[in-house]
Structures are given as structure tokens and as C-alpha cells.
Amino acid sequence: MRYPALKIDLAKLENNTRFLVEKCAHYGIGVSAVTKVFCGIPEVAEAMARGGAAYLADSRIENLMKMRNINLPKMLLRIPMLSQVDEVIDYADISLNSEHEVISALSNAAIKKGKTHDIILMVDLGDLREGVWADEAVEYAGRILALNGIRLMGIGTNLTCYGAVIPKADNLSKLTDIADRIEQRFGIKLSIISGGNSSSLYLLEEGAMPRRINNLRLGESIVLGNETAYGNRIKGTFSDCFTFCAEIIELKEKQSVPVGEIGVDAFGNKPTYVDRGIRKRAILAAGRQDLKPEGLSPKDDAIIILGASSDHMIIDVTDSGRDYSIGDIVEFTLDYGALLLASTSDYIEKVIE
Ligand SMILES: *Cc1c(COP(=O)(O)O)cnc(C)c1O
């Protein structure tokens, strides 16, 4: 095996998916399993499909291309670029949209290819990322309905991303009201009302999810088992579907505080040091080019992460019960940001188990 490595436990990921799919099904909600944090690796997405996901969803068309042979409808999460509408029609069955200019270009591309593409109109309920403002949504839907080659499949919203606004019965019921008004005004039926991401899950348990919400787009909750409105663990899910593994290349007793005048580190920061005396320190062959050390938690909880430069990560192993040697592999769980970087780094071997 090559290091650094990201080990991926497909059985655990399938378990997490199934657990959340069943929970949502109980409330009449289908799950779009979000694959972007692991860059759409097809074998990993397949585990989500086995777990019962209704759709595979990603923000990048490149990732949807990788998953084209998996037999589930694909949903493009990020508003399409005008320059990419042809690929969107080719590789996404559904896209989330908020700009008429883009929707109109999708319509033309779909007509040209003899296809029908499904649109979910995004409504901004206050988080201030994507979406049309609530009072424009019905008009906007009307303009979409006038276009050929595309279908208005439904509406959706995204919260807790930019503005960190928490989904509640009152903001989400605005979304279902808009759905009702679109249906009445135009005499149509919307098949999807997508009530957000992992931060909406807690509403199920509180019995506060508006009844017409019938889709959630779940990434972090499946992949890491986190509820993201309040940052709680979801009981019944695994937090270690992904494990980061790095190899020790130096192991020495050194003092805790650098010797000499302290300037700025390789990233322009003025570091501070805790004086723990002489300590046993290990250098791992991985660094900021591969991941965010602040987002790692050592599986050996006696290890202290001291810091990292581009290609070296320094840990303190003095208090560990394990007698580490050069060449040993140290394992970590990852938070969302660290997992995103680790997945993206070409230097990290992806090992599927
Ligand atoms: C990333 C993303 C999601 C998934 O968010 P999680 O917090 O990981 O569940 C859902 N919807 C959109 C539009 C996204 O970009």
C-alpha cells in the first residue's frame, strides 16, 4: 500500500446510507446522496446506491461523469455554468437552478439533443447563497414552464451553508407554500420539494418537518454521521467510514519550544508553543498540500497534533501506550474539510475496503 492513504469502508458507508434512507422514508422523504466530498469515486457512490439512495447528487459535472454507469438519476447541485450546459444535459438528469439565462440555455441544449432535462428551482429562504427570492418564485416558475426541452420537476432550498441559517418549520413551510401556489396558479404538480441538506434532518425527530417536503440532499450526515444544524452525532451511524493513514519518517526526542528567535512559519503565521519539556515527536509524510491537520483526530487519542507544513506533519507520541517506530502508520478520522482536501489530493492513495 502507498502512503499517505485514505481508507474507505464501503460497508460502513452503505450502513449509514441505509440508516438515513430508512429514517427519511418513514416521513415520506427520498434521499439524494451527495457524493462531492469524496469527488464522486464510483465504487463509493455505488455503496450509497446499495444503501437505498433515490438520486446521486454532486456539485461538479466532472464527478457526475465518473458516476455515469451507476443506474440512478444524477442531480447537479451547483447552479450550472453557462459554459457547461451541454455537459449538464449529457450527464445530469436534474439540475438545481436560479438563473433564467442558464435555464433558457439548458432548454436550447436539451432541444438540440432531443432530451428532456429536469429543473429544480432553488428558493433563497435567507441563507444568501443560491436561489431566487421567495416573492419572485412563482413568477420565475411560470417563465420556466414556458420553455421546451425542460420540465419544472420541483423547487428546493439550501440553508446552513453561507449564512448558517438553521432550517425550521417556519422557513421551510414558506417553501411548501410556494409549491402550493405554483401548483394552483399553473395547474401542475411538482414532484420534488427538496428541503435542504444534512442540517434539516433534526426536524424529523422533532416532528417539525413540513409535510410536503419529500426530498433531502444528504452529504455529511451519510459520510460522517453528523447532524449539521447543531453539530450532533447521529446515533446508529459510523463516523469512521473514512480513515486517513500517514507514515512516520522521523522519530526523535526533542524539546517542545523551537530554539532561536521566532519569526513567521511557512504560511506567514506567528506560531505559539506550549512548553511540555522534552517530548517524543514523530514526523509524518503528509502535510497541508494534502489536507487540513486541524480537521484530523488521531485514532490513538494519546497523540497530540503539533502542526504541519506543506509536506510534513508533526505529532507528539510521548503519552501513547504504543511504542511507535519509523515506518509505522498512524491513523486519523477526518472532519468534513479535511476529508474534502484528502479526497481531492492526488498525493493521497484512495484505498477501498
Ligand atoms: C453540498 C450540498 C448539499 C449536501 O450538504 P451536506 O451538509 O453535506 O448534507 C446539499 N445541497 C447542496 C445544494 C449542496 O451544495
Side-chain angles (χ1 to χ4, degrees):
M1 192 153 138
R2 267 201 319 129
Y3 295 98
L6 184 67
K7 282 196 297 191
I8 309 170
D9 186 325
L10 295 187
K12 284 183 177 171
L13 195 70
E14 182 180 334
N15 171 93
N16 282 9
T17 312
R18 184 170 296 111
F19 181 87
L20 291 170
V21 163
E22 283 172 3
K23 186 198 263 291
C24 288
H26 188 70
Y27 297 88
I29 291 175
V31 171
S32 298
V34 176
T35 53
K36 67 190 183 204
V37 76
F38 56 85
C39 304
I41 300 171
E43 294 88 332
V44 184
E46 261 162 23
M48 289 173 147
R50 288 195 297 276
Y55 305 92
L56 294 175
D58 204 289
S59 47
R60 311 244 175 184
I61 204 77
E62 294 85 344
N63 293 345
L64 294 183
M65 285 179 190
K66 292 189 214 167
M67 301 187 286
R68 64 182 171 277
N69 293 327
I70 304 176
N71 192 20
L72 277 184
K74 312 297 180 316
M75 188 181 267
L76 180 65
L77 293 174
R78 189 171 65 186
I79 309 309
M81 292 184 239
L82 261 186
S83 60
Q84 260 189 344
V85 291
D86 283 311
E87 285 100 319
V88 174
I89 300 300
D90 287 339
Y91 296 102
D93 302 285
I94 307 160
S95 59
L96 310 190
N97 281 277
S98 64
E99 288 291 353
H100 193 74
E101 201 177 340
V102 176
I103 299 168
S104 181
L106 287 169
S107 157
N108 289 334
I111 292 167
K112 210 171 58 196
K113 292 172 189 282
K115 284 188 161 181
T116 305
H117 180 78
D118 284 318
I119 302 280
I120 294 180
L121 175 64
M122 293 301 277
V123 181
D124 188 341
L125 298 177
D127 200 57
L128 303 185
R129 206 179 74 179
E130 71 274 47
V132 299
W133 212 237
D135 54 13
E136 307 166 339
V138 177
E139 278 318 313
Y140 232 92
R143 294 173 71 193
I144 297 172
L145 289 167
L147 298 171
N148 293 317
I150 54 174
R151 220 167 10 211
L152 180 63
M153 186 187 203
I155 62 174
T157 195
N158 196 56
L159 293 162
T160 341
C161 266
Y162 171 73
V165 172
I166 291 180
K168 302 258 178 189
D170 62 356
N171 51 21
L172 285 186
S173 63
K174 266 198 206 154
L175 187 71
T176 59
D177 286 349
I178 291 167
D180 292 340
R181 293 208 325 264
I182 292 173
E183 290 182 342
Q184 278 159 21
R185 170 93 156 265
F186 302 108
I188 56 165
K189 188 92 193 117
L190 297 175
S191 52
I192 280 196
I193 302 173
S194 187
N197 54 48
S198 298
S199 69
S200 294
L201 275 173
Y202 85 98
L203 289 169
L204 298 178
E205 245 130 61
E206 298 201 345
M209 183 69 83
R211 199 152 0 108
R212 283 213 61 191
I213 300 288
N214 64 1
N215 173 269
L216 290 177
R217 308 175 308 269
L218 302 181
E220 182 162 352
S221 50
I222 297 179
V223 165
L224 294 173
N226 294 331
E227 172 287 309
T228 56
Y230 297 103
N232 296 315
R233 289 270 320 124
I234 302 171
K235 283 198 203 77
T237 61
F238 296 101
S239 60
D240 59 347
C241 300
F242 293 80
T243 306
F244 178 66
C245 311
E247 181 172 335
I248 298 179
I249 53 173
E250 185 188 289
L251 190 64
K252 293 191 191 305
E253 305 245 318
K254 292 187 187 179
Q255 58 202 72
S256 326
V257 178
V259 186
E261 188 191 345
I262 307 294
V264 293
D265 69 13
F267 291 86
N269 303 309
K270 180 123 194 157
T272 53
Y273 302 95
V274 182
D275 192 354
R276 300 186 178 92
I278 303 286
R279 304 287 288 182
K280 194 166 174 196
R281 296 152 66 98
I283 299 180
L284 301 174
R288 292 192 183 274
Q289 185 151 23
D290 311 298
L291 47 70
K292 196 180 68 165
E294 295 77 17
L296 296 179
S297 306
K299 286 200 164 176
D300 175 347
D301 57 18
I303 288 178
I304 306 166
I305 299 176
L306 296 173
S309 55
S310 313
D311 309 293
H312 299 75
M313 188 164 127
I314 306 164
I315 60 174
D316 180 329
V317 297
T318 317
D319 299 331
S320 174
R322 182 173 157 193
D323 190 16
Y324 286 97
S325 321
I326 301 293
D328 279 356
I329 304 304
V330 181
E331 294 194 335
F332 302 84
T333 55
L334 308 90
D335 73 7
Y336 192 84
L339 179 56
L340 185 64
L341 282 175
S343 299
T344 307
S345 174
D346 270 348
Y347 298 102
I348 297 185
E349 182 89 346
K350 314 300 186 294
V351 181
I352 289 166
E353 307 196 304

